[in-house]
Amino acid sequence: MDTALKYAVIDPATGKIDRRIFSDQAIYDDEMEKIFGRAWLMIGHESLVPSPDDYFHTYMGEDPVILTRDGQGRLHALLNMCRHRGNRVVRCDDGNAKRFMCSYHGWTYRNDGTLEHVPGKTEAYYDELDMASLGLIEARVETYAGIIFATWAKDAPSLEAYLGDARWYLDTVFNRLDGGMQAMGPLKWLEPANWKTMVDNCSDNYHVPTSHISSAAVQSRFLGRPRLSHEDQFASPNKHVFVNGHALTFRDADDNAPRYVHGVSDKIMQMFKEYHEATMPEVERRLGTLRARRVQLGNHSIFPNGILGFRLALPRGPLRTEFWHFVLLDRDAPEELKRAIRIGSQANNGAAGMFEQDDVDNWRQVTDASTSRMARGLPQDLSMGVGHAGLHADYPGVVSERYISENNQRLFYMRWEQFMNAGSWGDIPLEPMKARFEGSATMRG
Amino acid sequence: MTEQQALWLELMPFYIREAWLLDERRFKEWVDLFTDDVLYFMPRRKNVPRREAHRELTELGDLAIFEEDKRYLEMRVARLDTGMAWAEDPPSRTRHMIGNLEAAFLENGEVEARTAFLVYRSHLETDHQLLSGCREDTLRKVDGGWKVAKRTIVLDANVLLDKNLSVFL
């Protein structure tokens, strides 16, 4: 490893990780600058602000941000901070408003960020206030298939380049249908864990038959869900793939099986299968035959803090993370199916979710092990499958040979190093896009 | 004694008994307090302007914290018996304080009852949380005893401050 670099926290040959990155306040503060100040961050979904003048309150890292759709229908991501003293100008979670008034002194902004009104502009400020320079601070916004991303970095590449060939896989869920998706949520709660552990867990399919065995077992008994054991996982036709920090799992099989939907009964699964068949011509037209019939996105994270689709791990200090759970549904799917998928999702995920509630103490204790004297000196071991991943003839990105592997996690922490060691976006490598995006689907949907 | 007072005296022991069943971890008996067609519902609670208070609770059909039928409730209870439901193994220590009961008969003979609760949860070594909220129940007489046919639980929280919500309310 290059010892001149400030951060050398993972040894790629052994998968040993320095635990201090999960607890050190100075490293965390640096992450806010180097990662959350630079990366394209998922902040919302177009369906959360469907109409002119709608807004949705969100975060970029720890910074509060108002996602607005202005009167002309354009999207804005505005730092929720009055330029006078710094008070928030929005205190609600969502709504519809043309203007936002600061409750401290009454400075009032339009929903495109323009400072429109200052009490005493003449009488108190002698008409000398440079109002044009005092609009709400605006981030760059781009969208992918309805998901809204924003970045503070003026030198960031396009969102398309940032997602790169990861989109080739993401399309199989998020860009599948002409009608697009709708987001519901979020459910918000605070977890006593470092944000990175929650993100790297997205590629940790190894934990599933142990952490979630109780829920899987009762769902097999009550709902007829397929068995979940280590052996079932070792035999499954899944792979891991990594592109530009985005860590994905995909199913690689030509049986045209529908994506597995968690938390629903076998009866609903049959309904989903019929829906899958009925929509297949549309999916083939949009994504091409290979992706429509063979490739199925599974668990995944979008760098830095997007979790399993459109869910967010919002850092709140090294030892705390605010989790935002949303569910994304095919907008034009039959209502009965949408209802069942939503209920299945919320029964498994979220603060009360049968699967998700069993993760938290594991993640918390992994984080806590980075704080005590003896434990913090001992590295995490992410050595599984070292040397068993590489380029693949049919699939873009770095592909693992096997499903159960820690390759994506190692690469996630190496991507973390790239961001943390970079002086600017120019130092952060991006994989050139090589995938063939067959079909009609685009970044826009 | 008015009909209203008699109902209050009949229901308060029902809620006290339910609280003891939960705190003594007698969950199979607890789940029997619900009708087979129960809806166990906990909406999300948003920050909205006072004049838009009608939007504060998310509606049935939106993403909820719970929207479960009897089968899901039974699944959650059965999960605890596997010995590997890690959020609750070792189990939480809970204390359900139920009060502020108001109840009235509906025209169909069912009862609408609302109560306030404070639930204390202690878990593992030092984790603890205080859950505050209310329940709005629809109660039905089944085989001579009251059962909950619909329960809406409203928590007094926006961002839940708890690592998870693995106890029953």
Side-chain angles (χ1 to χ4, degrees):
Chain A
M1 274 182 275
D2 186 344
T3 49
L5 296 174
K6 184 172 177 189
Y7 293 102
V9 302
I10 175 163
D11 180 346
T14 62
K16 301 285 189 195
I17 297 185
D18 187 336
R19 272 186 202 277
R20 284 176 304 176
I21 64 169
F22 302 108
S23 58
D24 185 288
Q25 183 69 46
I27 294 176
Y28 174 84
D29 293 342
D30 219 10
E31 286 177 335
M32 296 305 105
E33 290 293 329
K34 304 269 185 56
I35 296 176
F36 289 87
R38 277 180 183 152
W40 281 104
L41 303 169
M42 263 197 261
I43 60 164
H45 192 274
E46 294 216 43
S47 60
L48 297 169
V49 285
S51 305
D53 303 321
D54 280 350
Y55 70 89
F56 172 75
H57 194 263
T58 183
Y59 286 89
M60 293 170 68
E62 293 193 55
D63 282 312
V65 166
I66 319 159
L67 168 63
T68 69
R69 190 183 287 281
D70 69 22
Q72 279 72 54
R74 289 176 309 225
L75 296 169
H76 303 269
L78 306 168
L79 185 65
N80 186 7
M81 189 197 86
C82 179
R83 295 298 303 283
H84 178 211
R85 301 291 295 275
N87 185 29
R88 290 193 184 193
V89 300
V90 168
R91 291 175 177 173
C92 293
D93 295 346
D94 55 35
N96 183 281
K98 292 186 195 310
R99 295 176 183 79
F100 306 118
M101 187 189 77
C102 176
S103 57
Y104 199 175
H105 303 95
W107 286 28
T108 302
Y109 302 85
R110 286 209 300 261
N111 61 13
D112 63 2
T114 310
L115 178 58
E116 186 177 75
H117 175 71
V118 172
K121 181 167 79 84
T122 301
E123 301 84 340
Y125 282 103
Y126 301 90
D127 286 314
E128 288 171 358
L129 188 70
D130 181 11
M131 288 175 61
S133 72
L134 290 170
L136 297 175
I137 300 296
E138 184 161 10
R140 275 174 69 189
V141 172
E142 290 188 26
T143 65
Y144 158 60
I147 303 174
I148 302 168
F149 290 74
T151 178
W152 298 116
K154 295 193 166 47
D155 61 345
S158 68
L159 178 62
E160 184 171 16
Y162 181 83
L163 294 174
D165 284 346
R167 183 164 60 92
W168 194 81
Y169 302 93
L170 296 171
D171 277 351
T172 64
V173 170
F174 304 115
N175 219 351
R176 197 173 174 80
L177 296 166
D178 294 338
M181 303 191 89
Q182 70 184 95
M184 287 184 179
L187 164 59
K188 309 172 183 180
W189 76 107
L190 271 179
E191 295 199 15
N194 184 270
W195 66 274
K196 294 185 291 300
T197 299
M198 298 161 79
V199 175
D200 97 46
N201 183 76
C202 294
S203 283
D204 187 325
N205 296 290
Y206 186 43
H207 82 287
V208 179
T210 307
S211 292
H212 303 302
I213 185 65
S214 66
S215 300
V218 295
Q219 289 181 16
S220 295
R221 202 157 93 221
F222 286 78
L223 303 177
R225 74 154 277 151
R227 258 169 15 112
L228 179 69
S229 69
H230 282 293
E231 289 66 33
D232 296 316
Q233 283 206 324
F234 296 146
S236 84
N238 285 274
K239 289 183 168 67
H240 280 185
V241 61
F242 192 88
V243 184
N244 287 348
H246 317 304
L248 320 172
T249 307
F250 70 102
R251 190 171 185 276
D252 169 29
D254 56 7
D255 56 4
N256 194 26
R259 179 166 57 93
Y260 183 68
V261 183
H262 286 278
V264 302
S265 65
D266 43 6
K267 177 172 151 274
I268 299 292
M269 207 56 217
Q270 183 57 35
M271 195 195 303
F272 186 69
K273 192 161 190 281
E274 286 159 19
Y275 170 71
H276 177 83
E277 296 292 344
T279 52
M280 186 46 67
E282 183 180 336
V283 179
E284 285 193 279
R285 170 170 58 74
R286 292 180 57 85
L287 303 180
T289 303
L290 173 66
R291 285 193 293 167
R293 291 193 169 269
R294 191 172 176 97
V295 178
Q296 236 178 62
L297 181 69
N299 289 350
H300 60 280
S301 57
I302 297 181
F303 195 86
N305 66 329
I307 290 194
L308 267 64
F310 173 50
R311 310 200 310 153
L312 302 174
L314 297 167
R316 295 289 182 264
L319 307 179
R320 286 203 311 174
T321 305
E322 189 172 313
F323 202 109
W324 281 20
H325 171 61
F326 293 85
V327 61
L328 277 179
L329 300 167
D330 291 347
R331 188 193 301 272
D332 296 334
E335 286 304 319
E336 188 186 358
L337 192 58
K338 282 163 76 167
R339 179 176 176 275
I341 293 172
R342 174 178 56 76
I343 289 174
S345 168
Q346 73 200 17
N348 274 348
N349 301 305
M354 278 183 260
F355 271 62
E356 200 140 4
Q357 61 179 260
D358 285 339
D359 282 318
V360 185
D361 287 309
N362 295 336
W363 296 339
R364 191 272 289 279
Q365 289 174 359
V366 165
T367 298
D368 279 355
S370 309
T371 62
S372 61
R373 182 200 158 266
M374 191 62 198
R376 72 182 168 221
L378 299 166
Q380 285 196 30
D381 184 303
L382 288 177
S383 62
M384 188 191 297
V386 163
H388 294 282
L391 300 180
H392 192 284
D394 300 326
Y395 295 119
V398 178
V399 181
S400 68
E401 290 167 15
R402 293 186 181 160
Y403 177 38
I404 303 305
S405 160
E406 285 167 345
N407 193 55
N408 272 1
Q409 286 131 293
R410 285 189 294 278
L411 291 170
F412 170 75
Y413 290 104
M414 289 160 71
R415 186 63 167 171
W416 181 92
E417 283 182 348
Q418 288 176 343
F419 268 78
M420 294 292 279
N421 288 322
S424 71
W425 248 109
D427 300 331
I428 300 170
L430 283 175
E431 293 294 329
M433 289 175 65
K434 289 186 233 161
R436 283 188 57 208
F437 285 84
E438 290 183 331
S440 60
T442 66
M443 279 290 288
R444 294 288 304 149
Chain B
M1 196 178 350
T2 65
E3 186 187 54
Q4 195 85 357
Q5 288 167 326
L7 181 63
W8 195 96
L9 284 174
E10 190 179 343
L11 290 183
M12 207 57 224
F14 173 84
Y15 282 113
I16 292 170
R17 174 156 171 270
E18 183 192 3
W20 281 111
L21 289 177
L22 286 168
D23 293 340
E24 293 179 341
R25 302 177 190 142
R26 293 156 65 187
F27 299 115
K28 287 203 174 99
E29 291 167 72
W30 174 73
V31 98
D32 279 343
L33 298 179
F34 295 90
T35 63
D36 290 340
D37 62 347
V38 68
L39 171 65
Y40 185 86
F41 176 52
M42 186 190 291
R44 293 179 291 122
R45 197 161 182 184
K46 300 202 288 189
N47 288 299
V48 296
R50 187 173 289 271
R51 64 179 177 275
E52 296 174 31
H54 61 278
R55 295 201 300 119
E56 183 173 355
L57 294 179
T58 55
E59 290 176 359
L60 196 62
D62 200 341
L63 179 76
I65 305 173
F66 287 95
E67 183 185 329
E68 310 221 331
D69 58 19
K70 185 85 174 267
R71 182 174 52 170
Y72 275 90
L73 285 180
E74 285 172 343
M75 247 188 324
R76 287 180 183 270
V77 169
R79 207 176 85 80
L80 301 174
D81 287 333
T82 64
M84 290 178 289
W86 309 119
E88 283 297 324
D89 216 319
S92 293
R93 298 163 287 267
T94 64
R95 201 59 59 196
H96 287 67
M97 310 299 290
I98 311 293
N100 298 4
L101 169 65
E102 288 189 329
F105 277 104
L106 298 170
E107 279 183 10
N108 64 1
E110 294 181 350
V111 162
E112 221 168 39
R114 58 179 192 153
T115 48
F117 63 79
L118 286 176
V119 174
Y120 179 76
R121 175 198 183 197
S122 162
H123 191 227
L124 299 180
E125 293 170 326
T126 56
D127 288 354
H128 61 96
Q129 53 190 260
L130 188 62
L131 295 157
S132 161
C134 71
R135 295 166 171 170
E136 294 170 10
D137 289 345
T138 304
L139 303 173
R140 190 188 300 154
K141 266 267 164 69
V142 179
D143 301 331
W146 291 108
K147 293 206 177 205
V148 181
K150 183 180 176 196
R151 169 165 292 176
T152 300
I153 303 160
V154 177
L155 281 182
D156 300 323
N158 178 247
V159 179
L160 308 182
L161 299 178
D162 320 310
K163 59 181 182 179
N164 53 22
L165 199 53
S166 56
V167 298
F168 295 110
L169 295 171

